[in-house]
Amino acid sequence: MDSTLPAVAEELLKEIKKAFQETSHGRDTFSFRLKFIFGPSAVPALDLVDHRSVTQVMSPSGRTAYQVLGSSGKLYTCYSSCHFCTCPAFGFTVLQKSESLLCKHILAVYLSQAMGACQKLSVSEEQLTSILLAEEEDEG
């Protein structure tokens, strides 16, 4: 992971990935530690992973973004390289109040990557640009 998460969070995500690669399960094993490190966003993030709500959107140039279908039915765009999400909870809880490391959507991205549960979608450069610009229009 090339993000700026604390080392303990990075290590836990690596352990989860290793456990899922070796045994294809391990959620219960890590549930307590996820709750300890990520707080109240851990369980909802695991629910998003269980519902296969995370899609990796890739363009031919290698640009990548993630779309997460939130529990409310709204689609959020996440960027794992800088652990950023377009949801209001990220802006308020993570950026403004510094009460949490991540929102449930970006945590779901990391968990789905570690667990091999991320859907993949290849799009053209123009389609990816449209996805990214649609988010800006929603905010503006």
Side-chain angles (χ1 to χ4, degrees):
M1 310 241 147
D2 295 326
S3 64
T4 56
L5 290 175
V8 68
E10 291 284 343
E11 192 59 34
L12 177 57
L13 292 169
K14 286 178 188 173
E15 287 180 34
I16 292 170
K17 183 174 184 172
K18 183 178 178 190
F20 272 82
Q21 287 174 339
E22 292 173 358
T23 63
S24 297
H25 66 342
R27 174 186 165 150
D28 294 334
T29 307
F30 295 100
S31 187
F32 176 76
R33 290 194 282 173
L34 283 168
K35 290 177 197 173
F36 182 78
I37 293 172
F38 295 107
S41 58
V43 172
L46 286 167
D47 287 341
L48 290 171
V49 174
D50 286 346
H51 287 96
R52 301 196 49 88
S53 297
V54 179
T55 302
Q56 180 183 27
V57 183
M58 302 165 288
S59 70
S61 68
R63 291 189 311 161
T64 301
Y66 293 84
Q67 290 192 312
V68 180
L69 183 60
S71 53
S72 66
K74 184 160 173 41
L75 200 59
Y76 298 104
T77 301
C78 300
Y79 307 92
S80 65
S81 60
C82 60
H83 76 260
F84 179 82
C85 180
T86 58
C87 76
F90 185 87
F92 185 70
T93 307
V94 177
L95 297 179
Q96 286 183 341
K97 295 183 93 181
S98 297
E99 291 179 348
S100 182
L101 291 172
L102 306 167
C103 67
K104 66 182 179 183
H105 308 109
I106 194 71
L107 181 54
V109 167
Y110 291 139
L111 291 172
S112 67
Q113 289 173 326
M115 296 175 183
C118 194
Q119 298 185 70
K120 303 209 183 281
L121 176 64
S122 295
V123 298
S124 69
E125 297 296 333
E126 294 79 17
Q127 289 171 311
L128 183 59
T129 300
S130 294
I131 290 168
L132 301 178
L133 289 176
E135 286 295 333
E136 284 183 10
E137 290 171 6
D138 288 348
E139 293 171 5

